[in-house]
Each structure stands twice: as structure tokens, then as C-alpha cells.
Amino acid sequence: MLILKGGRIVILGEDCKVIEDGGLVINGETIAAVGKSDDILAKYGNKEGVTVKDLGGRLVMPGFLNAHMHLYSSFARGMSIAGPSPKTFTEILERLWWSMDKDLMTEEELYYSALVGAIESLKSGTTAIIDHHASFGMIEGSLDVLEKALKDVGIKGSLCFEVSDRWGPKARDASIEENVRFIKKNANDPFVRAMFGLHASFTLEDETIRRCVGEAKDLNAAFHFHLAEGLADVTDARERGYKGVVDRLYDLGVLIPGSLAIHGVHIGEPEVELLAKCGVNVVHNPESNMNNAVGVPNVVGMIAKGVNVGLGTDGYTPSMLESAKVAYIIHKHERRDPTVGWTETAKMLFESNAAIFSAHFSKSMGVIKEGAAADLVVLDYYPPTPITPQNLLGHLIFGIRDSAVNTVIVGGSEVVKDHVLVSMDEESVMAKAKKVAESYWKKRS
């Protein structure tokens, strides 16, 4: 049993409040009690086997949750694309990402690319991620390699393999089977879960989607897919005879409760209403959208229509703090309206992501309360102004940086302590990853 005392604890959730000189008890993987430090110590401090850690007034929050990540993107960092720069989003996909995922062929490549992303996620205060994977050079068993990386580092995750018809029927079939196999294997794993991955509507034939829907139904699994990120998705759906991409996925049975529709940049109000009706979550990735120049989704309108909109990073960054900072300002800029952004960003980061992860992992996450997952971030932040539930986002946006992450606790275990990764030597991992990446890059030259 671990007792944390002397912290400034941000509860979040329905009973949102800040406890000054707060303490909490961690029993196994779960938070057992929360309150004032003196009360916690009086009740639990004399029990056998208790370790007490003084937080020294640091800020304690639920760990950040990343609702959409691409761990394999780690090896794209600094990578150049041969020839002229891509001018459209489709060219970016074809010449960078699709080329890259086809060349990922070895367990070592998958392991170290995932390891880098997992470590950097943890050190930026993220305690769980939902990843969308593609490695068409190695499909069978690929999710097991990612699972090993996550567990070796000590971060929770949910994995899927993106099904696509772009590399032919053999790769399509193997991708479907990898999802089915891994979902069955990890159905009740408390640390690494699974979803059914689809790439995007415009790379999938109707028959492939129907087959995936049938498999997912038998497994009671939700989908994780890209939605209308670029205009190609919309154009393709209309050329196939559908009103739009959302209508196509609805007609084919993809829009089931709990699924994650990523981006949703190019959808209209009727499509937003359909997503809300179906209980499908949308995940906003502001930095990635800006980088790919695909546009800004109508997150303000989606939330107003009742869509649960979460927040992710899309592999652009491992940092949820960074993503939240950009989400906060991009909608002000796009709409030329300084009144938007605050409510929506707080809802995405704190409420919607917590709802997505809690439902998926079948345990309360993104909140500090009795019975919730013991997934926490301790920050070297001593606010120079009052901090309350109402102004917490302001402190995160304007005052806190990733460098403030002092300690990260996942499943009750300290995985980052005093800014240092506990599970393995970070410097050695990065040195090895560099060698693996160099070898991988040579294949592509």
C-alpha cells in the first residue's frame, strides 16, 4: 500500500475540486481513499506494509489520456521524402505513411518505434493511449510486439491493426485476422485492450467493411477508424453512390456505440447528428490536422450537438499537454472568436477522454476517487496564483509544460520517478532505437 501526502490534488470528475495538503491511498492498481493528508495518515498510516511518500506541495492530477496515437510514427522523425514535397494530403499518405508502414517488417523495428513513443508519452504525463497501428511488412503478431513494448515501459494502451484494401487481398485478410486474434487474446486484460482497426473509408471496399462488421459483432468489439480527414474520403463515398462518408459507414454497420471516429474534418451537420445518434466518439487531433493542411473540424458544433469529442495526438507528438494547448487556440483563430475554445478543450481533455477510456477499460479513469484506476501524474508546479477547478485549464495552458512532469504512476506503480524512467535505461533505449531506425531508413533509400 502506498500513501501520497502533502500534495495539491485535483480530483476532476463529478466531484471536481482541489484538495490542498491532500493525500491519497493506493492499494494495488486502485485508489483506495482520497482526502486531507492528516486524515489519510490517521486512518492508514499505521497499517502494516505501508509506504508513505511526501509530495512536497506538488500538483497531483489523473494521468493524461491520449485517445488517438500512431506509435509506429516514431521512426518518421527527421525522415525525408524523396522528390518534390507532397502538395496534397493524399500525396502525404502515399509517399510517406503508406510507404513507411509497408517497409516496417521486423519485430525489432516495431518494438523500438513503439518503445520510443511509449517512453515519451509517459514522460509527458500520459498514462494510457489508444493506438492505431499499421505495419504491412509484418502483420501477424505485430500487435503482440506493441503490447510487449507498452508493458515493458509501463503504460496502459489499446491496440488495433488498420484494415485496408490498398495492399491487396492477402494483406487485407491478414489484417482482419490480426484484429480478431488480438481482440480475443486481450478481451479481459486490465493493462492492454483491443479495438477493431479500419484505415479510412476511401481505402476500403464495401465487402471488406461488411466482413469486418461481422467479425466485430461476434467479438462485441468497437471500431477505431479515420473519418473524413481529407476530402478524398468524401469524394470516394459519393462516387460509390452514398450521400457521404458518414452515411456510407452507417449503412454498412460501422457506426456502433463506443467506436472512435478520428478527425471528422469534412462532415456536415446532418452527419454530426448521425454520429451523436449512434453513440460514436470523435477524436480531435489539432496539430496533425494543421500539419497536413486538411482543415479544422467543427468541434464546437459537434459538442453542441451531443457528440462525445475526445482529444488525441495522431502521432504528431506524444504530449497531450501540447495537443490541448493547440486545441485551445486553433478554434479561436479559425472562427475569429475569442469566446470559444475554453469549454470545449476542458471537456475533451478531462471529461470526454475519461469517458472513452473508462468505458473501454471497464474501470474509472481520468479521475481521482475511491475505486478509480491509480494512474496519476505529479507535477513540479507551484501555482503563483490561486488554482481552482474552474481555472485549472488556464494553469495547464499558460503555466505548465511537459518539463514539470516529476512522477508518473500507472496501475499503482511509479514508472517515472523524479523525471527518470524507472523500467529501463532511457538513454540506452534511444541509442538502440537510433541504430534500428538507421537500418530501417536504408531500406527506404
Side-chain angles (χ1 to χ4, degrees), residues 317-368:
T317 173
S319 171
M320 287 302 296
L321 260 177
E322 186 180 309
S323 187
K325 290 172 190 287
V326 176
Y328 173 72
I329 59 176
I330 184 58
H331 301 284
K332 298 176 184 292
H333 177 77
E334 174 73 7
R335 290 169 170 258
R336 293 172 172 78
D337 181 356
T339 66
V340 301
W342 178 278
T343 301
E344 293 81 8
T345 302
K347 187 172 182 62
M348 288 187 287
L349 183 63
F350 301 139
E351 297 179 30
S352 298
N353 277 10
I356 290 168
F357 278 81
S358 297
H360 190 44
F361 281 82
S362 302
K363 188 167 188 174
S364 292
M365 297 174 70
V367 63
I368 297 177

Side-chain angles (χ1 to χ4, degrees), residues 87-401:
K87 294 183 177 180
T88 67
F89 177 56
T90 301
E91 287 185 5
I92 293 172
L93 290 176
E94 292 173 345
R95 295 178 54 200
L96 175 60
W97 298 114
W98 294 355
S99 172
M100 183 178 173
D101 66 47
K102 192 176 184 182
D103 288 334
L104 285 167
M105 298 178 178
T106 71
E107 289 188 16
E108 190 174 51
E109 290 166 352
L110 300 190
Y111 181 73
Y112 278 94
S113 61
L115 213 56
V116 169
I119 289 172
E120 293 182 340
S121 294
L122 274 180
K123 295 198 72 179
S124 62
T126 296
T127 53
I129 60 176
I130 299 179
D131 191 69
H132 194 274
H133 180 64
S135 57
F136 287 92
M138 179 188 168
I139 300 173
E140 184 179 357
S142 61
L143 297 182
D144 291 335
V145 179
L146 268 64
E147 177 187 16
K148 182 179 187 321
L150 296 182
K151 289 184 174 180
D152 285 351
V153 173
I155 188 170
K156 290 179 180 178
S158 175
L159 305 175
C160 70
F161 196 103
E162 67 167 46
V163 176
S164 174
D165 282 299
R166 68 179 181 268
W167 298 122
K170 185 176 180 180
R172 174 204 62 203
D173 293 348
S175 302
I176 292 173
E177 181 52 38
E178 180 66 2
N179 279 300
V180 171
R181 181 193 67 79
F182 195 75
I183 291 168
K184 289 179 178 178
K185 172 177 172 283
N186 289 68
N188 298 307
D189 191 316
F191 211 87
V192 175
R193 290 291 175 96
M195 300 186 80
F196 205 113
L198 303 174
H199 176 245
S201 174
F202 76 103
T203 71
L204 291 160
E205 299 298 326
D206 283 6
E207 185 52 40
T208 299
I209 295 175
R210 290 191 186 98
R211 181 175 163 192
C212 292
V213 168
E215 296 282 5
K217 185 176 181 180
D218 290 342
L219 296 164
N220 194 30
F223 288 104
H224 185 177
F225 58 94
H226 299 97
L227 174 70
E229 183 176 5
L231 284 170
D233 219 10
V234 180
T235 300
D236 175 82
R238 290 173 179 168
E239 288 177 348
R240 293 175 187 269
Y242 296 92
K243 288 187 291 184
V245 61
V246 174
D247 295 281
R248 182 185 185 214
L249 296 175
Y250 176 75
D251 288 349
L252 295 173
V254 173
L255 303 186
I256 59 177
S259 292
L260 301 183
I262 311 304
H263 302 297
V265 177
H266 300 284
I267 58 175
E269 187 171 311
E271 294 172 296
V272 169
E273 292 172 349
L274 184 55
L275 291 171
K277 173 185 174 183
C278 293
V280 173
N281 306 286
V282 173
V283 180
H284 182 33
N285 304 271
E287 291 175 300
S288 172
N289 292 161
M290 294 169 70
N291 182 56
N292 290 323
V294 294
V296 181
N298 184 13
V299 166
V300 177
M302 291 184 202
I303 292 174
K305 289 289 184 180
V307 177
N308 189 62
V309 182
L311 190 65
T313 67
D314 200 28
Y316 182 91
T317 173
S319 171
M320 287 302 296
L321 260 177
E322 186 180 309
S323 187
K325 290 172 190 287
V326 176
Y328 173 72
I329 59 176
I330 184 58
H331 301 284
K332 298 176 184 292
H333 177 77
E334 174 73 7
R335 290 169 170 258
R336 293 172 172 78
D337 181 356
T339 66
V340 301
W342 178 278
T343 301
E344 293 81 8
T345 302
K347 187 172 182 62
M348 288 187 287
L349 183 63
F350 301 139
E351 297 179 30
S352 298
N353 277 10
I356 290 168
F357 278 81
S358 297
H360 190 44
F361 281 82
S362 302
K363 188 167 188 174
S364 292
M365 297 174 70
V367 63
I368 297 177
K369 68 177 183 178
E370 183 178 340
D375 303 334
L376 310 168
V377 58
V378 180
L379 299 158
D380 288 335
Y381 183 65
Y382 307 92
T385 57
I387 185 169
T388 68
Q390 291 73 32
N391 70 18
L392 172 63
L393 184 67
H395 285 272
L396 287 172
I397 298 298
F398 300 109
I400 300 177
R401 306 290 179 265

